[in-house]
C-alpha cells in the first residue's frame, strides 16, 4: 500500500510526504519547522537531538531517542514529542523546563532541549528517581557549559511536581505496510511476521535490513547516503518476544537493549552494567540485540559477553530454520556465517548458576558511551574452588570478537590462584594478536587483557580492586 508517512507529533496527527529515509532531525528542523531540536554530532552520541519516541505497535510509552539517526520510515504510525511539545504539555511548560530555568541549569542553551527531553522521558516512567537514575538518564547528553550538578537538581525538583501524562501513539500499522514518499519513492517495508519478512527479502534482495539503526543509520546521517529500499524488523512478532525459561532466556532479535535490561539485571548484572555503559537511554531504546550482532562489528560490546555465556543464535532463511552457536558465527571483519538472505531471529542466553563467576569488564577512555579499547568477558563454572568449565572472550582487539580456548583449558581443573592465572595469561598473550589504533597500542591491549583476568581472581578472593576508566 502506497501512502505518505503518518505520525502523532506533539500530540497532533501529522501526514507528511517526506522520504522514508529522511532522518527525524532533518524533518523536524526542515518541514516541521521545530528547531528546538539541535544537531551536534550526527551520530547519536551528544544528545542535542534527543526527542521522545513511541514506535507503533508497542505499548505507546514515550522514550528518549536520537533524532539524528532515527528515520521517518521507522516512526510511521508512531509518536514523537519534541521540546516544543513539552512546552505545550502544561500551562507553564513541562516541570523539567520550569526547574531548569529557575535553577540556572542552562548556559549556552544548545544542549538544553535534548537534556530536557531526556529528563522528561525519565520522569514519565520513574516518579521518584534517584541521583544515580538521573545520571543514567543524562549519560547520552553532553553539556560543556553548565556542569551537571544544577541539571540533576532541576530533575529531582521536577519529579516532585510531575504527573506523567504525555501523549503517545494511537495508530497501528497494517500487517505489511510500505511507505512511498517523495518523487524518488523511497520505500520502507514493515512485515509483521517471519514469513512476510522472508517473502519481502526475496522480492527485494538489495534492500537494507534495518532494526534500530543505531549503527547502520550513520550511513544516512553522516555520509548522506539514501536507501531506496529498507525492510524494518521492529514489527516481526517472532523477533519481538522474550521467553524466560528454566535454564535460559530467549531474546527476540528485534528486542531493544532497554527492554532486555530488567532480565539482564536479574540474571547477569555484570552484563547489565556493560549495556548501560555502551549505550545511553536514547541508544538503548532504539538499538536491538540482533542488530548488535548482525552488523558484526569487532567493537560491538554485546558479543564478548554473549560469547562467554555460550549463547546460541536462532536463524531463519529461504531453506528454513536452524541454530548456531555464537562461537561459530564470526568469520572475519564484518563477515559472518549467515547464509544468503538468512536473518537472526533470536538469541538464547544460558543462565549462570549462583556458584559461577561471570564478569564483563570494559576498558575505555571515558566511562559512558565510548568505544572499547578492550572488552573482556569471563564465565567460570565452579565446584567450590575448582574451575570445571571456562569461557573467556574478548572484543575490541582484532577483526572479530574471539573466544580463547587455550586460556580456558589453562584454567579448567584448577583453582583461580596465581599459578593458574599466570598460565592463562600466558595463553592469552600467545593467542591474541591485538591491533594498534588511537584507542591503544597492541602492547597495551595485550597487557590489559591479562590484567582483566587477574582482576577477576582478585575479586573472587575478596580483594578490593581500584580501577580507573573501567
Amino acid at each position: 500500500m502506497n501512502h505518505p508517512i503518518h505520525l502523532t507529533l506533539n500530540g497532533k496527527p501529522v501526514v507528511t510526504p517526506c522520504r522514508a529515509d529522511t532522518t527525524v532531525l532533518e524533518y523536524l528542523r526542515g518541514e516541521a519547522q521545530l528547531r528546538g531540536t539541535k544537531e551536534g554530532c550526527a551520530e547519536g552520541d551528544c544528545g542535542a537531538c534527543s526527542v521522545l519516541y513511541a514506535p507503533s505497535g508497542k505499548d505507546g510509552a514515550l522514550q528518549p531517542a536520537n533524532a539524528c539517526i532515527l528515520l521517518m520510515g521507522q516512526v510511521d504510525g508512531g509518536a514523537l514529542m519534541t521540546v516544543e511539545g513539552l512546552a505545550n504539555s502544561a500551562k507553564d511548560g513541562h516541570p523539567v523546563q520550569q526547574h531548569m530555568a529557575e535553577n540556572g541549569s542552562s548556559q549556552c542553551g544548545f544542549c538544553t532541549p535534548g537534556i530536557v527531553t531526556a529528563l522528561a522521558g525519565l520522569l514519565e516512567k520513574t516518579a521518584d528517581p534517584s541521583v544515580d537514575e538521573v545520571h543514567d538518564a543524562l549519560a547520552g547528553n553532553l553539556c560543556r557549559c553548565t556542569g551537571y550538578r544544577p541539571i540533576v537538581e532541576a530533575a529531582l525538583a521536577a519529579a516532585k511536581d510531575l504527573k506523567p501524562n504525555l501523549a503517545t501513539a494511537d495508530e497501528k500499522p497494517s500487517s505489511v505496510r510500505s511507505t512511498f514518499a517523495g518523487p524518488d519513492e523511497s520505500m520502507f517495508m514493515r512485515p509483521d511476521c517471519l514469513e512476510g519478512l522472508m517473502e519481502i527479502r526475496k522480492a527485494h534482495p538489495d534492500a537494507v535490513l534495518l532494526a534500530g539503526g543505531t549503527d547502520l543509520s550513520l550511513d544516512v546521517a553522516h555520509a548522506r547516503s539514501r536507501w531506496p529500499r529498507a525492510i524494518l524488523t521492529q514489527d516481526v512478532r517472532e523477533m519481538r518476544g522474550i521467553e524466560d525459561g528454566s535454564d535460559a532466556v530467549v531474546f527476540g532479535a528485534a528486542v531493544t537493549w532497554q527492554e532486555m535490561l530488567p532480565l539482564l539485571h536479574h540474571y547477569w548484572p555484570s552484563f547489565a552494567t556493560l549495556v548501560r555503559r555502551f549505550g545511553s537511554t536514547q541508544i538503548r531504546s532504539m538499538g536491538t540485540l540482533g542488530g548488535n550482532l548482525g552488523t558484526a562489528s569487532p567493537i560491538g560490546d554485546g558479543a564478548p559477553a554473549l560469547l562467554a555465556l555460550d549463547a546460541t543464535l536462532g536463524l531463519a532463511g529461504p531453506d528454513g530454520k536452524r541454530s548456531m552457536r555464537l562461537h561459530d558465527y564470526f568469520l572475519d571483519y564484518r563477515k559472518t556465517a549467515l547464509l544468503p538472505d538468512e536473518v537472526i531471529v533470536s538469541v538464547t542466553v544460558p543462565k549462570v548458576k549462583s556458584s559461577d563467576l561471570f564478569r564483563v569488564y570494559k576498558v575505555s577512555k571515558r566511562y559512558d558511551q565510548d568505544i572499547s579499547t578492550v572488552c573482556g568477558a569471563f564465565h567460570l563454572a565452579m565446584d567450590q574452588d575448582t574451575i570445571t568449565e571456562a569461557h573467556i572472550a574478548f572484543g575490541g582487539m582484532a577483526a572479530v570478537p574471539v573466544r580463547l580456548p587455550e586460556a580456558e583449558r589453562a584454567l579448567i581443573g584448577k583453582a583461580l590462584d596465581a599459578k593458574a592465572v599466570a598460565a592463562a595469561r600466558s595463553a592469552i598473550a600467545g593467542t591474541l594478536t591485538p591491533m594498534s589504533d588511537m584507542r591503544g597500542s597492541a602492547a597495551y591491549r595485550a597487557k590489559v587483557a591479562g590484567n582483566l583476568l587477574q582482576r577477576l581472581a582478585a575479586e573472587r578472593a575478596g580483594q578490593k580492586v581500584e580501577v580507573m576508566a573501567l
Side-chain angles (χ1 to χ4, degrees), residues 218-239:
L218 294 178
D219 194 39
V220 175
H222 260 182
R224 303 299 180 186
S225 298
R226 288 300 183 188
W227 294 342
R229 302 286 184 271
I231 305 170
L232 301 182
T233 63
Q234 63 192 48
D235 297 323
V236 178
R237 54 179 173 266
E238 292 91 341
M239 302 171 74

Side-chain angles (χ1 to χ4, degrees), residues 1-63:
M1 180 171 63
N2 299 359
H3 62 83
I5 291 169
H6 295 69
L7 69 149
T8 301
L9 177 59
N10 293 333
K12 298 179 181 180
V14 171
V15 179
T16 172
C18 74
R19 284 181 59 103
D21 57 359
T22 300
T23 69
V24 168
L25 182 62
E26 289 177 290
Y27 165 74
L28 292 176
R29 293 185 58 82
E31 180 185 329
Q33 296 289 289
L34 296 171
R35 292 173 176 163
T37 307
K38 302 295 192 284
E39 179 173 8
C41 65
E43 59 184 24
D45 200 28
C46 73
C49 69
S50 297
V51 295
L52 295 176
Y53 162 55
S56 63
K58 295 191 181 180
D59 61 8
L62 286 161
Q63 298 186 74

Side-chain angles (χ1 to χ4, degrees), residues 4 26 53 77-78 98 146 161 180 196 200 208 221 240 242 249-250 259 284 287 294 312 345 351 390 424 430 437:
E26 289 177 290
Y53 162 55
Q98 297 174 36
T146 309
D161 298 343
F180 286 86
I200 291 174
V208 174
R240 289 286 309 138
I242 299 177
V249 179
V250 182
E259 292 167 332
R284 296 196 304 261
T312 301
V345 178
K351 296 177 181 179
D437 59 20

Side-chain angles (χ1 to χ4, degrees), residues 137-280:
L138 292 171
N141 294 86
L142 181 63
C143 178
R144 291 190 174 99
C145 298
T146 309
Y148 289 89
R149 179 186 55 78
I151 297 172
V152 173
E153 290 174 349
L156 296 176
K160 299 176 181 178
D161 298 343
L162 182 68
K163 293 182 180 179
N165 62 352
L166 298 179
T168 55
D170 58 7
E171 182 183 344
K172 194 176 188 320
S174 57
S175 58
V176 178
R177 185 176 178 116
S178 301
T179 300
F180 286 86
D184 296 328
E185 293 190 331
S186 59
M187 182 168 65
F188 275 35
M189 296 156 281
R190 296 173 55 170
D192 68 352
C193 65
L194 189 59
E195 182 180 4
L197 173 60
M198 292 293 103
E199 291 175 356
I200 291 174
R201 289 208 79 190
K202 183 178 180 180
H204 301 276
D206 296 329
V208 174
L209 190 65
L210 186 64
T214 55
D215 185 8
L216 293 183
S217 292
L218 294 178
D219 194 39
V220 175
H222 260 182
R224 303 299 180 186
S225 298
R226 288 300 183 188
W227 294 342
R229 302 286 184 271
I231 305 170
L232 301 182
T233 63
Q234 63 192 48
D235 297 323
V236 178
R237 54 179 173 266
E238 292 91 341
M239 302 171 74
R240 289 286 309 138
I242 299 177
E243 299 177 17
D244 187 358
S246 58
D247 299 319
V249 179
V250 182
F251 295 101
V255 171
T256 68
W257 290 108
Q258 193 67 20
E259 292 167 332
M260 290 173 62
L261 262 183
L263 285 176
L264 295 184
H265 274 298
H266 185 68
Y267 294 120
W268 311 277
S270 185
F271 194 1
T273 298
L274 176 77
V275 169
R276 296 178 84 95
R277 289 186 58 190
F278 79 67
S280 65

Side-chain angles (χ1 to χ4, degrees), residues 214-215 257 260 264 270-280 283 288-289 291-309 326 330 334 358-378 393-397 400-402 439 445 452 470:
T214 55
D215 185 8
W257 290 108
M260 290 173 62
L264 295 184
S270 185
F271 194 1
T273 298
L274 176 77
V275 169
R276 296 178 84 95
R277 289 186 58 190
F278 79 67
S280 65
I283 294 297
T288 66
L289 175 59
N292 187 263
L293 298 175
T295 60
S297 170
I299 52 173
D301 283 335
L306 293 167
L307 282 169
L309 290 167
L326 186 61
F330 298 103
R334 301 279 188 176
F358 174 69
R359 296 287 190 279
V360 189
Y361 302 123
K362 174 172 178 168
V363 180
S364 55
K365 290 188 175 183
R366 69 175 187 264
Y367 187 84
D368 290 309
Q369 281 197 267
D370 199 6
I371 295 172
S372 290
T373 303
V374 180
C375 183
F378 306 88
F394 286 95
M397 303 285 282
V400 294
V402 293
R439 295 186 298 277
R445 282 185 162 98
L452 294 181
L470 289 175

